[in-house]
Amino acid sequence: MKSHAKAVVIGGGVVGCSVLYHLAKSGWTDIMLIERSELTSGSSWHAAGGFHTLNGDPNVAKLQAYTVQLYKEIEEISGQSCSLHLTGGVMMADTPERMDFLRLAHAKGRYLGMDTELITPSEAKAMFPLMDETNFVGAMWDPVEGHLDPSGTTHAYAKAARKLGAEIVLRNRVVELTQEVDGTWNVVTEQGTVKAEHVVNCGGLWAREIGRMVGVELPVLAMEHMYLLTEPMPEVEEFNKSTGREMIGVLDFKGEIYTRQERNGILLGTYEKACKPWSPVSTPWDFGHELLQPDIDRIAPSLEIGFKHFPGIEKAGIKQIINGPFTFALDGNPLVGPVQGLTNFWCACAVMAGFSQGGGVGLALSNWMVHGDPGFDVWGMDVARFGEWATLRYTNAKVRENYSRRFSIRFPNEELPAARPAQTTPLYDTMIANNAVMGDSWGLETPLWFAPRGSEPKDVVSFHRSNDFGPIGEEVHATREKVGVTEIANFAKYEVSGPGAEDFLNRLMTNRMPKTGRIVLTPMLNEFGRLIGDFTIAKASPRGGEDRFMIWGSSAAQKYHMRWFEKHLPKDGSIRIHRFDQTLVGLSIAGPKSRDLLQKLVDVDISTKAFRFMDFREMAVGGAPCMVNRITYTGDLGYEIWMAPAYQRLVYKAIKEAGEEFGLVDFGMRALLSMRLEKNFPTWFRELRPIYGPFEGSMDRFIKLEKNDFIGREAAAKEQAEGPKLRRVSFIVDAADADVMGDEPIWAKVGGKDYGTVEKPHGYGAPRFDAGGKEVRGSNAAEGASAVRGIVDGNWRVVGWVTSGGYAHYVEKSMAQGYVPAALAENESAGLFEIEILGQRRPAHINVEPPFDPSGEKMRT
C-alpha cells in the first residue's frame, strides 16, 4: 500500500467503486480505494439488483438514466459482465389518485426525453401474466428498467478503475482520520497511514462511523429490507418459452411491493409499514457477508395484498427470504458532496438505490472534485440539504417514515408528521391557537394557512385544489386590500463583518453592495456563471469601525451557502460570517395599511420620504429592538421586522393590537407564495438553480457586469453577449380544478422547428410486447385523448418545463413559471402554449408584465 495519494475513497461497495472509476476516468490516477473487507461486503452483495430511471426529482432521474447507460461502457472496459437484463417495467395504479400520480410522472418524463407510456391493466398483464388486472385502473410502462448482478457490476467498476490506474486495497479497515494544518488528511488504517489531499466517505453501512471520525453526524440510518425468491414456476417458464423474453418488473403501490423474474421464478420485495431499523446507534465493524433473520410476519400484510393482486405468485413455493440492511437518508435520496466546515472531505453515501444511482453519483462527485462543480443540478442529493436539527433520533424517525412510505403517493400539499415539531419559534403555540396549519420548513414549524374557526386545521391532501383554497384566498384579499402579518423565521439570516466585508461581498455577488441604510437584491454565481444563490443584502451601521452587512436568503440553502462563503473567505481572518439560524426571527407586515400600522409601533418617522422602499433601519418596534427592511415578498407596500426570539411575542402582540383598527389578518406561507406569483417573483431552488445562468433566469437588472471581477463574471458576460438559450417566463394558465405543481411539460405550437431544449438521455430502451410476443407501441389506452405520448404531437412540441406555480388569488388566475427557448419568451400570443396538468394539456399564455401592480408603484409608495 502506498503512503501518499491525491484521493482516498473509503468503502468498496458499488458507490465507492463508481466514484473511484469516475475519478480515474477524469484523469486522477494517483487515487486509491480502501475497503475493510472484500468488495461488496456491505449492502451491495445482497441487493435485489434492480434499476430504473424514474425519480420524483427530475434532476436525479437524469443521473439515474446515465447510470443505466454506463453499464455497457464499464463492461467493455473491464471485461466483466454486469449480467444486464433490460426488461422494462410497469407501475400499477389501483386508484384514481395513484393514476394521477402516474400521469404526473409520465408528464415529467416528456421533457427529460424518457420513453414512458400510460397503458391499461390488460396491456400490463400481457407482459406479466401473473397479475389479476381487475385490481388496477391503469399503469405506466418504462422501457428503461431491469436488473443486474450486484457483485459482477461492482467488480466491473473496480476492474475498470484499476485499468485506468487506480489502486484498491482490501482487508484494511480505516480506524482514524486526522487533518494537518495544510489541509492534508491522514488516513490511518490497520496497515499504516496514507496521506491524502482528499477523502471520500463511501462507507455505506459504516458511513455514519466514518463521519464521526471527523466530528460529523450524518443523517443516515440502515433499515432491514426483505425480499423473497420463489421456487421455479411453470407459468414463468412457459412465458419465457412462448415469447422468447423475460417477464418485466412490476411495482404495486397498494401492496408496497416490487417483483421481477429471477431465473425461473419470481423475486418479490416489500417496503412494509411495520419497518425496522438495523443498528440505529452504531454499526458493528465485524458485520460482513451476513444476512439478518427473516421476519415474514412483519411483511405479511404486504404479501397478502401482493398475492391478491398477483395470484400466480401465491401458489409458488418460497425458496429463500433475504433480509439485509440498506442505508437511507431522511428523504430517501443520497448524501453527496463536500461537507460544510471541512476541507476536502466528501460524501457519497446513503445511496439506497445503488444500481440505479451509483453511476450518476460517481460522475457528479468526480466532476465536483476534479472540476469544482458537479456538472448537474444535484441539490436533491447534496449533503448540505439537511441542518443540525437532523440528529440521530430525528434521523431514526424520519428514515422509518420514509421507508414505510416508499411506495406511497406524496401529495403536493402533504406535510409528513414524523419527528415534529423539531424546531419552533416563540409564536408556535400562538399560531396553533390561531388555528394555523403548520408546515416543516428546513426543520422549523411554519404557518402555512389558517383554517376557519370551528374547523379542523388540517390539509385534505390532493393533486387538485383542496380545503385550503378558500381560506388562502381570504388571506390574500385581506392582505392586498388592508394589511396582513406573517411569520418569516424560516429565512436564512447572516451577518458579514470586517474591514474588507464590502470587497468580499462584491467579489461573491453580481450586484453592487448598498450604501449604509440601504438594501439590494443580488444573485450569486459559481465560476461557470450559474445561479447558486439569491439574497437580500442590507448595509448596517459600522460597528467598531468595521463594515457590517445583514444578508437574508433561502433557509434550506444555509449549509450550502455557508460552504461557499467559507471556501472564499480570506485566510487572514479579516472577514467574519455569522449564521443566525433561529437566534434571529422575524415577522412581515404587508398591504396598503402596513405603514399606518407600523407607525403606531415606532417612535421615528417612517413616511415615504423618511423610510423609502429598499431602506434598512435599526429601530424599536413595540418597545423591542429590531431591524426593519422596507421590502416584502408580496410585492406590495410592506416591511420585514427582525428581532431576537426573546422579543418576538412582544412584537407580534403589539402588531395584533395596533392592527385591529386596520382589519389586520394572519396569513401563511401559501398565501405569500400566491402573492409572489402575481408579481412574477422567482423562488430559490425552483426558478433559480445551478443549471441556469442569470440571464436565463431573467435576473438581468441585478447583474452589474461593469462593477468588478466577481465570481462567474466572465461566463455571465459571455451569456449576455451570445444571448441566453432559455428564459424564465410567467404564464397564465386556463386550469380547471388543479393548478401546476412543478415539473410539468410546456408544449408550444411551433411546427417542426427544433429549439433544442429537449434532450433524450437514454441510449437504449426495451420495447413493449403483448402476451404473444408482438411489439406494441403507442396505444395509450389509459391516457385518454387529451395528451399524446412523446414530446412531439403534430405541430406541437415539448419546448420547456414548469418550475413552480399555483393559484394567484388576488388576480384570480392560475399561474405558472418555467423555462422556454429565449426566442419564445416574449411571445404573449394566445394559442401558442399549453401546459400539461394531470394528463390534460391546458391552454396557457405568457404574461411578460406581472398581473398585480405591473409598474411596482404600490411597493414604492
Side-chain angles (χ1 to χ4, degrees), residues 23 25-26 62 86 97 117 148 364 438 443 459 465 535 551 609 653 726 747 782 794 835 847 861:
L23 285 173
K25 186 180 178 183
S26 295
K62 288 180 180 180
L86 191 68
E97 290 77 16
E117 182 180 358
L148 45 66
M438 305 298 287
D459 278 312
R465 294 172 187 165
F535 300 99
I551 303 179
K609 290 184 179 179
K653 183 174 183 289
L726 303 175
W747 295 77
I835 295 178
N847 61 302
T861 299

Side-chain angles (χ1 to χ4, degrees), residues 54 89-93 101-102 138-141 145 249-253:
L54 286 166
V90 291
M91 293 183 175
M92 305 301 301
F101 174 81
L102 293 184
M140 183 173 74
W141 161 254
E145 289 192 15
V250 180
L251 187 153
D252 176 9
F253 290 107

